[in-house]
Amino acid sequence: NAGVMQNPRHLVRRRGQEARLRCSPMKGHSHVYWYRQLPEEGLKFMVYLQKENIIDESGMPKERFSAEFPKEGPSILRIQQVVRGDSAAYFCASSPPIADTQYFGPGTRLTVL
Amino acid sequence: AQKITQTQPGMFVQEKEAVTLDCTYDTSDPSYGLFWYKQPSSGEMIFLIYQGSYDQQNATEGRYSLNFQKARKSANLVISASQLGDSAMYFCAMREGRDNYGQNFVFGPGTRLSVLP
């Protein structure tokens, strides 16, 4: 049973470029969550999605950030016109609809030069 | 207001000794779940242990146990017989809401544990 997959593991972008982070949930999991972790801090919730639906995006910055979880394929977290402050680790987690816990992927470490 | 508080930014423990990592939480929801995750230097988040608010007994998973004191709203993690590989950041997290239906987690700031040989 493959765990939550995220790619790329490391992503370097220059200011103003776009970053696309991908997350494939565990088999049988229909819920995906994205979190951001700044250096030396805990994880902060960004967005919660089900297939083709955004359920809760209360943690997403109002501009430049978007997320989707299409019917087919991975969930995508998209950051447009990246700035240095976007440098962080971005974690994806997944769960089945009724879940005791969320299972995390290995994270994508975004560095903005 | 902080929902999850971890008051120990860093902790040291001697190998083979037990250590307790503190976590207090704040919620008005009668149904919630409490979790501990380990984040080693490699960066991944590893699930350790879960405690439901209605669970009568403290959760245990191998060398990990959760000292759940509901009235005090505390959920401390106890690691017995520490090993060098236990050196990592430890995060306490809470999920609010009944039936675990797709709720996001709130994480504490973490405690960095260093196990000394």
Side-chain angles (χ1 to χ4, degrees):
Chain A
N1 238 352
V4 179
M5 311 277 283
Q6 287 188 252
N7 66 81
R9 294 292 304 274
H10 300 273
L11 182 61
V12 179
R13 285 288 178 266
R14 296 191 180 280
R15 279 181 298 170
Q17 290 184 320
E18 178 180 285
R20 277 183 178 244
L21 288 62
R22 287 177 290 277
C23 169
S24 297
M26 286 178 71
K27 189 176 179 180
H29 288 191
S30 55
H31 293 212
V32 165
Y33 311 78
W34 285 94
Y35 295 84
R36 176 164 63 177
Q37 184 181 31
L38 296 171
E40 302 300 317
E41 293 187 13
L43 278 68
K44 296 287 194 296
F45 168 75
M46 297 181 76
V47 63
Y48 156 45
L49 309 107
Q50 297 176 28
K51 287 278 187 184
E52 299 184 283
N53 280 309
I54 296 175
I55 307 302
D56 181 355
E57 55 182 347
S58 58
M60 286 280 269
K62 293 285 185 284
E63 297 175 349
R64 302 189 296 110
F65 285 72
S66 62
E68 63 176 9
F69 189 15
K71 189 176 179 182
E72 302 290 336
S75 175
I76 307 285
L77 179 68
R78 183 179 175 212
I79 311 171
Q80 295 178 289
Q81 297 176 312
V82 295
V83 301
R84 288 218 175 103
D86 297 334
S87 295
Y90 291 84
F91 286 91
C92 167
S94 75
S95 73
I98 304 294
D100 283 342
T101 193
Q102 298 176 5
Y103 296 89
F104 282 80
T108 293
R109 274 142 191 88
L110 172 66
T111 301
V112 179
L113 301 177
Chain B
Q2 277 284 15
K3 289 208 167 187
I4 298 286
T5 303
Q6 294 179 254
T7 57
Q8 307 151 316
M11 287 280 286
F12 291 89
V13 65
Q14 207 68 40
E15 195 179 6
K16 300 179 186 174
E17 298 289 316
V19 64
T20 297
L21 306 184
D22 294 341
C23 173
T24 58
Y25 59 92
D26 181 27
T27 181
S28 56
D29 198 319
S31 177
Y32 51 90
L34 297 157
F35 304 78
W36 279 91
Y37 286 86
K38 172 185 177 182
Q39 187 176 42
S41 57
S42 52
E44 70 267 36
M45 294 289 286
I46 302 168
F47 166 70
L48 296 178
I49 197 166
Y50 162 77
Q51 179 86 43
S53 57
Y54 293 112
D55 292 344
Q56 296 295 318
Q57 292 189 321
N58 286 347
T60 60
E61 288 286 348
R63 294 187 299 111
Y64 304 108
S65 60
L66 203 152
N67 183 2
F68 181 44
Q69 298 190 41
K70 197 168 181 177
R72 291 186 177 184
K73 293 189 175 178
S74 76
N76 298 341
L77 177 71
V78 180
I79 306 175
S80 62
S82 297
Q83 302 171 357
L84 294 178
D86 293 335
S87 294
M89 282 290 285
Y90 288 81
F91 293 99
C92 179
M94 177 174 67
R95 183 215 64 240
E96 292 173 295
R98 183 129 183 101
D99 293 332
N100 315 319
Y101 191 79
Q103 302 283 340
N104 60 280
F105 283 23
V106 176
F107 282 82
T111 294
R112 184 175 297 282
L113 177 66
S114 299
V115 180
L116 306 173

